[in-house]
Amino acid sequence: MVSTPDTALTSFGIDIDPQVDASVTATLAVVEEALRKNVTSADPLIAEASRHLMDAGGKRFRPLILALSAQFGDPQRAEIVPAALVVELTHLATLYHDDVMDEADVRRGAPSANARWDNSVAILVGDFLFARAADIAATLGLEAVRLQAQTFSRLVHGQIAETVGPRGTDPIEHYLFVIAEKTASLMSTSARYGGMFSGASTEHVEALAGYGETIGVAFQLSDDLLDIASESVQSGKTPGTDLREGVPTLPVLYALADEDADASAVRLRELLGSGPLVDDALHAEALALLRESAAMKRARETVRSYAEEARACLAPLPDSPPRRAMEALCNFIADRTS
């Protein structure tokens, strides 16, 4: 079954200017159609495996940031859709590789590519999508290729850092570095592409890139918090999945660093320090304690601080409906884990 993402800004519950929403939504509809055309292959296996994660849906948050950033120039320019394809194909490629690294069985509610086929197929399909992204970037000029290559380098650095762990550095600083490299880098490039290819001024392009970088960190952190806070599947996974798999997200790291002698804090550190919580009873206990912990409150404050930093990046941009939409997106990300 093919899942089509709801890419309208209003799908986030954001009250924004109808013309901005219509323009962004129209761009993303064209991007969605173009994505399907650009993952085709004469080889049936490659074609099917390349469509696999795209058919499972997704937020298309990176093309959304790009289309919104393009509102500060001419959002109808022909380069906007190809630029959006570059960032989303790059993102999709990383998901195939991530699932192999994480030995994941499920992605977006469907079997991961490595589970459905095998690791080799998943890795090679990810490589194919990277190649498609690079091919499209080449049509946009040398600067687009250079930016994509630099972003790819950051993505790899982030994955390596995540794989090898803190190696003596502060675990919280290490975690935030990984998010900056693995998530924020491509968000920043998305915003920069939107400004660049719409013809926005250099000052505005730099402001947009800064916004993309910081909203990218806030976005990933809020996703991680949703894994703990939500009673539903807002995060795209069963709540507490990261806890069950022993993935140390920011609230967990804050809790482990906490020196509070309160009985619940001590018990939480004991549970979190024991590794993956595969036992249902222990998992439920840890999840309940974490939801009510000072660490969770601190993590929410961290998300809000990044959202406010992203808002501050918008200062050089004109006070306009597109800027107010970007500010509303900051509010949405800051508030959705409250």
Side-chain angles (χ1 to χ4, degrees):
M1 179 178 177
V2 176
S3 174
T4 302
D6 185 354
T7 48
L9 278 164
T10 49
S11 70
F12 292 104
I14 297 173
D15 182 19
I16 66 165
D17 179 80
Q19 287 187 323
V20 172
D21 190 45
S23 174
V24 170
T25 302
T27 297
L28 294 180
V30 177
V31 170
E32 192 67 22
E33 183 179 354
L35 275 171
R36 299 187 183 283
K37 291 179 180 177
N38 277 276
V39 297
T40 58
S41 168
D43 186 298
L45 173 60
I46 295 174
E48 182 184 7
S50 299
R51 289 194 311 268
H52 183 64
L53 287 185
M54 192 166 56
D55 287 348
K59 301 179 186 75
R60 304 290 187 259
F61 197 75
R62 291 148 191 83
L64 186 151
I65 290 293
L66 189 151
L68 194 51
S69 298
Q71 299 296 310
F72 294 92
D74 178 2
Q76 302 300 318
R77 282 194 173 184
E79 296 91 345
I80 298 299
V81 170
L85 293 178
V86 171
V87 296
E88 188 63 10
L89 287 170
T90 299
H91 172 59
L92 285 169
T94 66
L95 298 185
Y96 283 84
H97 288 179
D98 280 356
D99 285 343
V100 172
M101 298 292 294
D102 298 340
E103 299 180 351
D105 294 323
V106 176
R107 166 73 69 175
R108 294 175 176 173
S112 61
N114 48 302
R116 180 167 176 180
W117 290 282
D118 58 34
N119 284 347
S120 295
V121 169
I123 290 168
L124 292 169
V125 168
D127 291 345
F128 170 71
L129 294 176
F130 274 127
R132 292 296 302 124
D135 189 34
I136 296 168
T139 70
L140 295 170
L142 182 60
E143 183 66 3
V145 174
R146 185 182 67 83
L147 283 170
Q148 197 228 6
Q150 290 178 343
T151 306
F152 188 22
S153 176
R154 289 188 66 187
L155 291 167
V156 172
H157 274 82
Q159 185 61 66
I160 291 172
E162 183 178 56
T163 300
V164 301
R167 291 186 297 174
T169 62
D170 177 72
I172 294 168
E173 290 181 8
H174 174 265
Y175 176 75
L176 294 172
F177 171 78
V178 168
I179 286 180
E181 298 299 281
K182 285 191 63 177
T183 300
S185 62
L186 193 53
M187 295 283 197
S188 180
T189 298
S190 300
R192 184 180 292 277
Y193 271 180
M196 278 175 52
F197 291 115
S198 67
S201 70
T202 300
E203 181 187 18
H204 290 172
V205 169
E206 292 304 317
L208 290 166
Y211 173 86
E213 180 86 17
T214 46
I215 204 71
V217 175
F219 175 81
Q220 184 60 57
L221 289 176
S222 66
D223 254 14
D224 291 346
L225 265 63
L226 278 178
D227 180 63
I228 296 165
S230 65
E231 295 289 351
S232 64
V233 288
Q234 282 175 278
S235 61
K237 351 177 236 195
T238 303
T241 296
D242 290 334
L243 271 182
R244 192 175 294 279
E245 296 177 353
V247 178
T249 54
L250 190 63
V252 170
L253 293 171
Y254 279 158
L256 288 170
D258 188 4
E259 297 180 355
D260 192 341
D262 178 78
S264 61
V266 172
R267 175 58 177 162
L268 180 57
R269 288 198 296 273
E270 179 183 311
L271 289 167
L272 297 178
S274 64
L277 290 163
V278 295
D279 179 88
D280 288 344
L282 294 178
H283 176 269
E285 182 185 1
L287 190 59
L289 288 171
L290 193 54
R291 284 172 173 169
E292 300 302 320
S293 68
M296 190 67 176
K297 180 181 178 182
R298 185 182 173 191
R300 286 192 174 104
E301 290 170 351
T302 301
V303 172
R304 188 167 294 279
S305 71
Y306 276 102
E308 288 305 314
E309 185 181 342
R311 186 197 307 277
C313 289
L314 298 173
L317 298 168
D319 185 9
S320 59
R323 174 173 161 176
R324 289 191 286 276
M326 287 183 146
E327 291 171 340
L329 200 53
C330 293
N331 295 338
F332 165 77
I333 288 173
D335 293 341
R336 68 177 182 151
T337 59
S338 299

